[in-house]
Amino acid sequence: MAPGLILLAGTSESGKSSAGSYFAQEHHAHRIKIRTLLADLTSGRPATHEGVPMREGFDHREFLTVVRRLRESGDPQVLVIESFIDADLADATRRSWVAPARIVFITATHANRIARLTANAGISPEEAAAAIDRKDARKRVVEQWQQWRSLADDWIDNDGDIPGFLAELDAVLIRLNDQHDRVKG
């Protein structure tokens, strides 16, 4: 059977990378950043995001073909694709997967996201706020908010402490494994 699939989405500086890293390090999931997959596409137009070449305006069918090939690469129990920015694409990916799949949306208050970026990047709060606002606009976060709310299997408000966040991630994995067991049984 194909591995379970976790699709991580959310606002910038909310904890998506921390979640992907946690699943990979603590649960031996195969973690892939979506921009790695986008760089392999031929459709759409070349673009650069945060210094990484990728594609924008690509054919969703080509993306799904690339994702389906991941099922055949190795034997991880869980595959994590990090940083979905398009709700329709996340939903199509979940629906096309042949094993249990979950969309996990992670968010945090604007103030917490600014504080995280300020601390992590060593920039001023004003610079951090401007960077976050630019990223959220590029990701069309506000525009897709209600769609993410209706599609997400798990919604994590990451404004608490780290142990609480990790416990929520563990709960996501438990629910995915429960789905997997029901499919096998």
Side-chain angles (χ1 to χ4, degrees):
M1 177 176 253
L5 179 65
I6 295 175
L7 308 175
L8 295 175
T11 54
S12 58
E13 303 305 320
S14 62
K16 295 180 304 296
S17 292
S18 296
S21 178
Y22 179 73
F23 284 132
Q25 292 175 4
E26 298 299 321
H27 296 288
H28 310 291
H30 183 124
R31 174 189 180 200
I32 299 173
K33 290 198 174 248
I34 196 168
R35 61 186 178 204
T36 303
L37 302 175
L38 298 180
D40 289 341
L41 302 180
T42 58
S43 64
R45 62 191 174 282
T48 302
H49 177 63
E50 296 176 354
V52 177
M54 52 183 261
R55 294 279 176 163
E56 290 180 348
F58 52 87
D59 183 331
H60 282 193
R61 291 170 301 188
E62 181 188 14
F63 177 84
L64 294 175
T65 298
V66 170
V67 169
R68 283 186 207 110
R69 280 191 220 124
L70 296 173
R71 293 191 302 237
E72 299 148 15
S73 61
D75 190 27
Q77 284 191 310
V78 177
L79 175 65
V80 175
I81 302 177
E82 182 182 316
S83 297
F84 268 81
I85 65 171
D86 182 275
D88 288 331
L89 183 59
D91 187 41
T93 303
R94 175 180 55 189
R95 286 185 288 110
S96 73
W97 198 250
V98 296
R102 298 186 75 79
I103 295 174
V104 179
F105 194 92
I106 303 172
T107 190
T109 64
H110 197 252
N112 279 340
R113 296 185 302 140
I114 290 170
R116 289 175 186 152
L117 186 56
T118 299
N120 293 335
I123 59 177
S124 73
E126 295 77 21
E127 292 170 309
I132 286 169
D133 292 344
R134 277 192 309 275
K135 287 180 181 182
D136 284 351
R138 186 184 70 76
K139 294 177 179 184
R140 301 179 357 257
V141 170
V142 172
E143 177 185 325
Q144 296 185 76
W145 192 261
Q146 288 306 319
Q147 190 174 8
W148 282 118
R149 273 279 189 204
S150 67
L151 289 175
D153 300 296
D154 301 283
W155 190 276
I156 299 174
D157 292 312
N158 184 18
D159 288 314
D161 59 13
I162 292 172
F165 180 56
L166 299 180
E168 289 194 61
L169 297 176
D170 288 338
V172 167
L173 199 55
I174 289 168
R175 288 188 288 274
L176 181 72
N177 288 333
D178 286 348
Q179 282 179 268
H180 208 263
D181 291 344
R182 283 192 300 276
V183 170
K184 286 189 329 191

